[in-house]
Amino acid sequence: MNILITGANGFIGMALCRKMLSEGYQVRGAVRGAAQMLVLPSGVEGVQVGNIGSETDWSEALAGIEGVVHLAAKVHVMRESASDSLGAFREVNVEGSERLAREAAKARVKRLVYISSIKVNGEGRSDAYTEMDRPAPQDPYAVSKWEAEEILRKVAADVGLEVVILRLPLVYGAGVRANFLRLLRLVRLGIPLPLASIKNRRSMIYLGNLVDAIITSLVHPKAAGNIFLVSDGRDLSIPELIRLMAGAIGRKARLLPFSPSLLKIMGKLTGRSAEIDRLIGSLRLDSSKIRRVLGWEPRFTVEEGIRETVRLCVRQ
């Protein structure tokens, strides 16, 4: 089976390329330019598509392709500048996705798996999100991902392309960056962390489990037309995560009790409210639908995923 992966040089894309190659798929990786071509795993056929938007030429990338995994996106980053407007997100995430889907249909591609975000459901709710919830995106990135889902479902209805949507929580694994890696570095340094009093719950998904879920969604006959929320199936508090990280390094977690409300005040005073909220807030999702409909189960436990992530990150 010939598969096109957009954003093939990214955190998820590289792992997905390697896994699909190991399972005998023919993999083509779509990247922006020559520099990104150089980092693609051996065995991946690279193709340059330039910037993704409403005018992207996908003809070379889609020639002979049977399935597409669309990972490439303009992503949400902390402390975005004023220039990061909703329009900029829409150009890549909405208009670019529609262009790819319509060109894929013309090329007789059977199925497209779109990688979305749990942020489409919303943020700040203590109950677990499900696929049945009314979407409540709260920032330009999340709005653009929701609009992309909607336009892809419309394209699917118009031209018969099979579309599967996966909404992801935080993804961790080899190559993880941002808050997860920063927290791991603090744990490695043995710095006491004032997080023992946090009683939040957060869903995550290990990279190895995610790529398996993507492949299942790409080939399973019952996946077409569905939205799935995916996770490891076990939600962690921040203190639990820190203890797992510390255990994987072979040391004891150093956690101190501290009022969550005071942490929020400190976040406001330092201009890091969003980061503090993500650290101590809850974000849970119910991934039972993909298990029920597709029979998918995570191949790795949370302990195995954290241990392997730590092992590879420590070597960086």
Side-chain angles (χ1 to χ4, degrees), residues 257-273:
F258 198 83
S259 169
S261 58
L262 288 179
L263 283 174
K264 290 186 177 182
I265 292 172
M266 291 174 62
K268 290 180 179 179
L269 293 175
T270 59
R272 294 179 176 272
S273 290

Side-chain angles (χ1 to χ4, degrees), residues 3-289:
I3 304 299
L4 173 70
I5 299 173
T6 74
N9 61 305
F11 168 49
I12 299 172
M14 295 278 278
L16 181 60
C17 284
R18 294 190 182 99
K19 180 62 175 177
M20 298 198 79
L21 287 170
S22 73
E23 295 192 359
Y25 291 90
Q26 299 296 312
V27 180
R28 183 176 297 158
V31 296
R32 182 180 298 174
Q36 291 78 30
M37 294 270 284
L38 297 175
V39 302
L40 292 177
S42 176
V44 174
E45 178 193 354
V47 59
Q48 299 178 46
V49 297
N51 293 328
I52 292 178
S54 59
E55 303 297 326
T56 305
D57 182 359
W58 292 101
S59 56
E60 180 183 357
L62 290 167
I65 291 297
E66 299 164 81
V68 174
V69 179
H70 188 27
L71 291 162
K74 176 175 172 58
V75 298
H76 171 82
V77 295
M78 300 300 297
R79 300 185 180 185
E80 289 167 335
S81 68
S83 62
D84 290 313
S85 64
L86 179 57
F89 282 103
R90 281 174 169 155
E91 169 64 19
V92 178
N93 297 346
V94 183
E95 296 172 27
S97 296
E98 180 180 15
R99 171 74 171 186
L100 172 60
R102 293 196 180 279
E103 293 302 301
K106 290 179 183 177
R108 300 187 181 278
V109 171
K110 181 180 180 181
R111 182 174 294 181
L112 184 149
V113 176
Y114 180 66
I115 306 304
S116 189
S117 169
I118 192 59
K119 287 170 68 67
V120 167
N121 286 68
E123 297 181 74
R125 192 173 98 175
S126 58
D127 293 338
Y129 290 109
T130 76
E131 293 85 354
M132 298 300 294
D133 291 326
R134 184 181 181 88
Q138 296 181 20
D139 61 36
Y141 166 75
V143 169
S144 71
K145 297 298 277 187
W146 164 236
E147 292 178 351
E149 289 185 13
E150 288 290 276
I151 201 69
L152 288 173
R153 288 161 69 86
K154 181 180 184 301
V155 172
D158 289 345
V159 301
L161 176 69
E162 294 179 358
V163 171
V164 185
I165 295 167
L166 300 183
R167 291 183 189 160
L168 313 185
L170 183 149
V171 182
Y172 65 99
V176 67
R177 301 294 180 192
N179 286 344
F180 191 99
L181 184 58
R182 284 193 287 271
L183 184 61
L184 175 57
R185 286 172 174 165
L186 292 175
V187 173
R188 285 180 63 193
L189 291 171
I191 296 174
L193 300 172
L195 301 172
S197 303
I198 305 303
K199 302 185 184 303
N200 64 342
R201 309 299 295 178
R202 294 195 74 89
S203 298
M204 303 187 298
I205 186 163
Y206 174 53
L207 187 58
N209 290 332
L210 174 57
V211 297
D212 189 59
I214 292 173
I215 295 171
T216 300
S217 299
L218 190 61
V219 300
H220 199 293
K222 292 184 179 180
N226 275 292
I227 296 173
F228 296 115
L229 310 188
V230 292
S231 76
D232 288 333
R234 176 183 163 194
D235 302 334
L236 298 177
S237 67
I238 283 296
E240 287 173 327
L241 174 60
I242 290 170
R243 291 187 184 102
L244 287 174
M245 287 178 170
I249 298 171
R251 62 180 56 178
K252 186 177 180 180
R254 302 186 67 186
L255 289 163
L256 304 176
F258 198 83
S259 169
S261 58
L262 288 179
L263 283 174
K264 290 186 177 182
I265 292 172
M266 291 174 62
K268 290 180 179 179
L269 293 175
T270 59
R272 294 179 176 272
S273 290
E275 293 173 71
I276 294 296
D277 288 345
R278 290 187 181 198
L279 184 66
I280 69 176
S282 292
L283 199 162
R284 301 169 53 227
L285 59 85
D286 180 348
S287 60
S288 60
K289 179 182 174 182

